[in-house]
Amino acid sequence: KMAAQKKKLAAVELGGTSIRVAIAIGEPSNIIERKQFKTEDPKETLDKIVAWLKKQAPFDCLGIASFGPIDPRKGSRTFGYITSTPKVAWRNFDVYSHLNVFNCPVAFDTDVNAPAMYEYAHAKAQPGNEGISSCAYITVGTGIGIGLVVNGKPVHGMLHPEGGHMPYPAPPGDTFGGLEGWTIPSGIEANTCAMALTKRAKLDSPEGLASLPDDHPVWDQAAHFIGGACVNLALLVSPERIVVGGGVLNRKCLYPKIRKYVQNTINGYLQVDQILKNIDEYIVPGVHGGDAGLVGALALAEHALTSTEKPTTPSPKTSSSTFPAWPLFATFLCVVLATKC
């Protein structure tokens, strides 16, 4: 019935410099309305977004995909918050409650888990891929983020993946040392985000990267670290697809460089066709390019609408009926008395 009525999806994608909102009909990729706002004072910015969404209401569900770190753990005291972000004004701000005012199902996740979910669903829908259960999504731009889907669900765990900051050894002779002020200077983001590449190439701004030739050394340096992230993911998580996107990947020569780095580094240890023969289909660009995060947030909304997840806390009645207390106490008492005698 819902499919026949062409469900109406709403989404908010919060980025460090801008926030995008959208409405889609039927499926996440069918965007019919969108708008972009600057990421400024959190309350004022989100009030503008709520006002825009109210003009589009009613809709069936809302997906919120946010820069982080965030707290996506349902039941946590700070669920729905942006937490220890470098953006001071947004630190410890309750995004979820501010946007959850439309009386519809709402999903909240990172701005990389959301596109990871969409890319996973898209891959799974392709003929022959029905059995896949995992996908990794890497975005390389102002920052670097990694989203993970394992067993068909986004990974949260202790908090959520922050793989963009995983340490990785620099290539031989590299003396860059990471961006100054980064908490993890040996991390992939500190060495390969747009600003890091700008500093490596001795440019004034990231916009200058577009003018560099494909054979500039900075692209080999980028492939080293992005390829390193792919290697670590393949060895540790074993995803069935790795999607790489973001503004830096507009430089298309990076894809073959990254794939070659992965094959050379794994060096035949993983004897699987995805690495040995079909790496062009294993490490791939995103389906929707610059709209990956927005479409991902709409996919989150769709997931909220169809999710049947319920709390797992057992009721006292179930606990007592399953494990009656008095026989255990009686057994313990008999053992004590026997010991005394």
Side-chain angles (χ1 to χ4, degrees):
K1 184 178 179 182
M2 185 65 71
Q5 293 175 345
K6 289 193 175 180
K7 55 188 176 287
K8 187 175 182 181
L9 315 174
V12 180
E13 180 203 6
L14 293 97
T17 56
S18 64
I19 298 175
R20 298 192 295 173
V21 290
I23 299 292
I25 298 294
E27 60 182 44
S29 60
N30 186 30
I31 297 174
I32 61 165
E33 297 286 348
R34 66 167 71 202
K35 191 172 177 64
Q36 182 167 308
F37 300 85
K38 288 184 178 180
T39 306
E40 297 178 326
D41 174 79
K43 186 178 184 306
E44 292 178 8
T45 304
L46 293 182
D47 282 347
K48 293 176 185 177
I49 288 167
V50 168
W52 186 88
L53 287 170
K54 283 181 176 178
K55 293 178 182 178
Q56 313 300 323
F59 36 80
D60 296 301
C61 44
L62 172 65
I64 306 168
S66 177
F67 65 89
I70 65 169
D71 186 349
R73 302 167 298 168
K74 292 181 180 178
S76 166
R77 182 177 56 83
T78 53
F79 167 71
Y81 280 55
I82 295 174
T83 57
S84 55
T85 175
K87 296 185 71 64
V88 177
W90 288 79
R91 196 172 293 168
N92 299 316
F93 190 85
D94 187 356
V95 170
Y96 181 89
S97 294
H98 207 98
L99 295 175
N100 185 20
V101 295
F102 296 99
N103 193 31
C104 68
V106 180
F108 177 72
D109 214 321
T110 67
D111 56 355
V112 281
N113 265 357
M117 277 296 293
Y118 179 82
E119 293 289 347
Y120 160 74
H122 175 81
K124 190 177 179 68
Q126 305 309 305
N129 285 350
E130 296 83 357
I132 75 166
S133 62
S134 58
C135 179
Y137 177 83
I138 305 174
T139 183
V140 186
T142 304
I144 296 180
I146 298 178
L148 288 173
V149 173
V150 175
N151 294 329
K153 295 182 178 181
V155 173
H156 294 144
M158 179 177 65
L159 191 62
H160 56 76
E162 280 288 353
H165 297 279
M166 73 172 83
Y168 196 76
D174 187 301
T175 59
F176 179 66
L179 285 170
E180 185 178 349
W182 255 238
T183 305
I184 306 178
S186 62
I188 291 168
E189 179 179 287
N191 285 276
T192 325
C193 69
M195 184 53 69
L197 297 179
T198 300
K199 298 289 186 183
R200 285 178 175 277
K202 296 180 171 51
L203 299 171
D204 294 329
S205 72
E207 287 73 23
L209 292 170
S211 64
L212 297 179
D214 284 353
D215 60 356
H216 193 282
V218 77
W219 305 124
D220 291 325
Q221 294 161 350
H224 171 91
F225 287 99
I226 302 168
C230 294
V231 168
N232 283 347
L233 287 169
L235 293 172
L236 183 65
V237 185
S238 196
E240 289 148 295
R241 175 165 295 193
I242 299 177
V243 179
V244 189
V248 169
L249 270 296
N250 288 333
R251 180 65 59 148
K252 300 305 179 187
C253 72
L254 279 172
Y255 286 101
K257 289 177 182 289
I258 291 167
R259 292 167 183 144
K260 183 178 180 182
Y261 181 87
V262 169
Q263 287 179 320
N264 289 345
T265 304
I266 291 179
N267 195 30
Y269 182 74
L270 298 180
Q271 289 288 307
V272 292
D273 286 349
Q274 290 97 320
I275 303 293
L276 299 176
K277 298 179 181 178
N278 305 322
I279 197 164
D280 288 3
E281 299 171 16
Y282 179 60
I283 298 174
V284 297
V287 177
H288 292 288
D291 274 345
L294 194 57
V295 174
L298 289 160
L300 269 185
E302 187 175 48
H303 181 70
L305 190 63
T306 58
S307 175
T308 57
E309 184 177 315
K310 290 182 172 61
T312 56
T313 305
S315 67
K317 182 177 179 181
T318 302
S319 298
S320 61
S321 61
T322 305
F323 300 104
W326 68 266
L328 295 174
F329 176 75
T331 302
F332 171 75
L333 184 60
C334 290
V335 171
V336 172
L337 290 173
T339 302
K340 293 288 186 183
C341 294

